[in-house]
């Protein structure tokens, strides 16, 4: 095996950048001299990644957004594929973003480049037909959840359960006091974190409902913290004009600090719900999207849950308010219920500890072992 392998990467948006950055950190421990290029963000750049395009180019969601940006996305994918085929990395790793990555991975694989897909698409939740695309695209799939490899093995796809890197990165004991000090929050306040998502479309559709709920939840001694992806602050600030008496603090990034500091979070469905569970925080899950996207997705779901804590628990562990149900009034009502019920919060804490233990698998080592085997094959 080469002492310094070369990797191609594509990671879209903040959640993919976070996962890829943690993976790169583990790969660098095995191969300190590795090089990596492609599409990524600041977490990957901190690990020495060379960005050919910023990860923000892939920060879109749903059919409508994809159609509006399809020409640019296809052009980027074509140029990226040509450049990777010319440079011939030892392995290409596509991190999530399946609609972009599968076509790219298939082309690279046909050109003789080994391909890994990191994060099994939710074929167990919706769009099971994607398994055909996975089989054509990926030599190996790195799975975050323990039940996924068996599903893929049944159809002849190589897969390894590696756990979730966030479970390794987030401490089992939450540093609440340090987080509050970092955010200048009092130990005596009830802190509610509002996490509206990392995409522009999520901010536009979800943030108004969360901010409206904050207005209804406002009381003396309650503080609200809104961590916003750098670059999207300008979308959120105008929404705070009618916040009323709510004491709101807007911070750039620092979502982990906000989750560690808070007593409760109102959070957009996605990776952030898993982060909230790993921080052992009671939550109300919210989601809204373009009506056409919702209409197209609604009939394709295979599970009754949308948030990762509920999917992993196989029950409605935390409340989900989706589409028409995602109103300030409903969010505020569910939040007040959680704040008032200490026994329910304690039960959630216990379940979240169990979830954390299940997903803490030293992901970087397991993933690098699987990738090393692929390189040696």
């Amino acid at each position: 095996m080469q002492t310094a392998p070369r990797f191609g990467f594509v990671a879209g948006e903040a959640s993919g950048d976070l996962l890829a950055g943690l993976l790169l950190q583990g790969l660098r421990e095995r191969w300190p001299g590795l090089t990596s290029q492609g599409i990524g963000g600041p977490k990957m750049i901190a690990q020495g990644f060379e960005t050919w395009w910023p990860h923000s180019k892939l920060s879109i969601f749903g059919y409508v957004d994809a159609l509006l940006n399809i020409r640019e996305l296809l052009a980027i994918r074509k140029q990226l594929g040509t450049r990777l085929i010319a440079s011939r990395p030892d392995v290409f790793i596509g991190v999530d973003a399946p609609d972009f990555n599968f076509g790219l991975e298939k082309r690279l694989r046909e050109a003789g480049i080994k391909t890994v897909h990191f994060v099994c698409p939710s074929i167990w939740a919706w769009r099971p037909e994607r398994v055909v695309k996975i089989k054509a695209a990926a030599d190996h799939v790195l799975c975050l959840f323990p039940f996924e490899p068996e599903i893929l093995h049944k159809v002849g796809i190589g897969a390894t359960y590696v756990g979730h890197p966030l479970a390794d990165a987030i401490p089992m004991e939450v540093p609440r006091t340090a987080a509050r000090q970092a955010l200048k929050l009092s130990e005596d306040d009830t802190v509610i974190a509002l996490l509206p998502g990392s995409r522009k479309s999520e901010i536009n559709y979800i943030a108004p409902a969360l901010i409206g709920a904050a207005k209804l939840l406002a009381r003396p001694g309650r503080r609200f913290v809104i961590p916003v992806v750098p670059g999207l602050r300008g979308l959120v600030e105008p929404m705070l004009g009618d916040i009323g008496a709510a004491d709101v603090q807007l911070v750039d990034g620092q979502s982990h600090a906000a989750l560690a500091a808070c007593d409760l979070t109102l959070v957009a469905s996605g990776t952030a719900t898993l982060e909230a569970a790993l921080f052992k925080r009671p939550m109300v899950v919210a989601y809204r999207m373009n009506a056409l996207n919702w209409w197209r997705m609604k009939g394709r779901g295979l599970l009754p849950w949308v948030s990762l804590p509920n999917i992993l628990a196989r029950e409605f562990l935390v409340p989900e308010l989706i589409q028409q149900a995602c109103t300030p009034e409903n969010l505020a009502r569910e939040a007040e219920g959680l704040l008032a019920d200490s026994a329910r919060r304690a039960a959630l804490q216990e379940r979240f500890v169990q979830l954390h233990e299940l997903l803490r698998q030293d992901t970087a080592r397991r993933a690098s072992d699987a990738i090393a085997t692929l390189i040696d094959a």
Side-chain angles (χ1 to χ4, degrees), residues 5-208:
R6 291 179 298 111
F7 294 98
F9 267 89
V10 167
E13 62 198 57
S15 59
D17 177 47
L18 176 62
L19 291 174
L22 293 169
L23 176 58
L24 268 171
Q25 185 177 0
L27 293 174
R28 191 167 294 283
E29 290 176 4
R30 180 184 287 266
W31 298 296
L34 71 80
T35 56
S36 55
Q37 301 88 21
I39 297 178
K43 301 290 187 184
M44 299 170 71
I45 292 170
Q47 296 299 322
F49 183 75
E50 179 186 346
T51 53
W52 293 344
W53 284 271
H55 74 311
S56 59
K57 290 292 185 181
L58 306 188
S59 296
I60 60 173
F61 180 72
Y63 302 99
V64 173
D65 286 350
L67 287 172
L68 291 174
N69 294 275
I70 189 67
R71 293 184 66 179
E72 182 182 17
L73 290 171
L74 290 175
I76 290 173
R77 188 167 70 176
K78 182 177 180 180
Q79 293 172 52
L80 176 60
T82 300
R83 193 167 178 180
L84 287 168
I85 290 170
S87 64
R88 304 204 67 79
D90 294 282
V91 177
F92 172 81
I93 302 173
V95 183
D96 210 359
D99 292 323
F100 184 94
N101 274 324
F102 284 160
L104 175 62
E105 289 165 12
K106 183 174 184 292
R107 182 184 173 193
L108 297 177
R109 195 179 185 198
E110 290 172 348
I113 296 172
K114 295 175 180 178
T115 59
V116 170
H117 195 79
F118 184 29
V119 182
C120 177
S122 304
I123 52 176
W124 32 265
W126 76 298
R127 293 183 68 180
E129 72 277 5
R130 272 184 168 177
V131 72
V132 177
K133 292 185 177 181
I134 301 171
K135 191 169 185 177
D139 288 297
H140 205 84
V141 180
L142 304 177
C143 300
L144 301 182
F145 305 122
F147 53 83
E148 293 173 329
E150 182 180 357
I151 297 171
L152 297 176
H153 290 161
K154 286 179 179 178
V155 292
I157 299 172
T160 301
Y161 170 53
V162 298
H164 203 296
L166 286 171
D168 296 318
I170 294 171
M172 192 66 72
E173 296 292 330
V174 177
R176 179 180 183 272
T177 299
R180 290 205 170 197
Q181 289 174 349
L183 295 175
K184 297 181 173 56
L185 296 168
S186 168
E187 281 293 317
D188 298 326
D189 287 334
T190 297
V191 177
I192 300 174
L194 310 180
L195 278 69
S198 60
R199 306 179 181 107
K200 291 181 181 179
S201 58
E202 289 175 327
I203 298 289
N204 288 329
Y205 282 103
I206 301 169

Side-chain angles (χ1 to χ4, degrees), residues 69-376:
N69 294 275
I70 189 67
R71 293 184 66 179
E72 182 182 17
L73 290 171
L74 290 175
I76 290 173
R77 188 167 70 176
K78 182 177 180 180
Q79 293 172 52
L80 176 60
T82 300
R83 193 167 178 180
L84 287 168
I85 290 170
S87 64
R88 304 204 67 79
D90 294 282
V91 177
F92 172 81
I93 302 173
V95 183
D96 210 359
D99 292 323
F100 184 94
N101 274 324
F102 284 160
L104 175 62
E105 289 165 12
K106 183 174 184 292
R107 182 184 173 193
L108 297 177
R109 195 179 185 198
E110 290 172 348
I113 296 172
K114 295 175 180 178
T115 59
V116 170
H117 195 79
F118 184 29
V119 182
C120 177
S122 304
I123 52 176
W124 32 265
W126 76 298
R127 293 183 68 180
E129 72 277 5
R130 272 184 168 177
V131 72
V132 177
K133 292 185 177 181
I134 301 171
K135 191 169 185 177
D139 288 297
H140 205 84
V141 180
L142 304 177
C143 300
L144 301 182
F145 305 122
F147 53 83
E148 293 173 329
E150 182 180 357
I151 297 171
L152 297 176
H153 290 161
K154 286 179 179 178
V155 292
I157 299 172
T160 301
Y161 170 53
V162 298
H164 203 296
L166 286 171
D168 296 318
I170 294 171
M172 192 66 72
E173 296 292 330
V174 177
R176 179 180 183 272
T177 299
R180 290 205 170 197
Q181 289 174 349
L183 295 175
K184 297 181 173 56
L185 296 168
S186 168
E187 281 293 317
D188 298 326
D189 287 334
T190 297
V191 177
I192 300 174
L194 310 180
L195 278 69
S198 60
R199 306 179 181 107
K200 291 181 181 179
S201 58
E202 289 175 327
I203 298 289
N204 288 329
Y205 282 103
I206 301 169
L210 301 191
I211 291 168
K215 185 176 180 179
L216 296 173
L217 289 165
R219 305 281 190 281
R222 285 184 180 173
R223 298 279 305 275
F224 298 86
V225 178
I226 309 179
V228 181
V229 173
L232 297 183
R233 187 185 185 104
L235 290 178
V236 178
E237 282 182 326
M239 300 179 187
L240 300 179
D242 191 33
I243 198 65
D247 189 343
V248 178
Q249 179 178 345
L250 199 63
V251 297
D252 290 321
Q254 302 187 74
S255 61
H256 284 190
L259 287 171
C262 76
D263 298 288
L264 171 83
T265 179
L266 307 182
V267 55
S269 181
T271 302
T273 62
L274 182 62
E275 293 174 290
L278 294 173
F279 276 102
K280 327 300 185 302
R281 291 302 180 247
M283 73 190 81
V284 181
V285 177
Y287 214 79
R288 290 183 67 90
M289 64 180 70
N290 176 281
L292 177 59
N293 289 339
W294 174 247
W295 176 78
R296 293 196 63 172
M297 292 179 67
K298 186 177 179 182
R300 306 180 77 177
L302 304 178
L303 299 177
W305 318 281
V306 300
S307 65
L308 286 168
N310 288 345
I311 288 169
L312 290 166
R314 313 295 291 178
E315 63 174 292
F316 280 103
L317 198 61
V318 298
E320 298 178 349
L321 297 172
I322 311 300
Q323 208 60 8
Q324 290 89 347
C326 183
T327 65
E329 293 77 15
N330 288 343
L331 289 164
R333 184 184 66 252
E334 293 287 356
E336 290 286 15
L338 279 167
L339 289 170
D341 192 339
S342 59
R344 186 179 173 194
R345 295 199 308 275
L348 282 174
Q349 169 96 5
E350 184 177 345
R351 294 296 298 276
F352 290 157
V353 168
Q354 294 169 357
L355 176 62
H356 201 154
E357 291 172 342
L358 173 68
L359 297 180
R360 177 172 276 191
Q361 298 290 325
D362 193 356
T363 296
R365 180 187 58 78
R366 282 178 172 250
S368 65
D369 286 347
I371 292 168
T373 300
L374 186 63
I375 290 176
D376 288 339

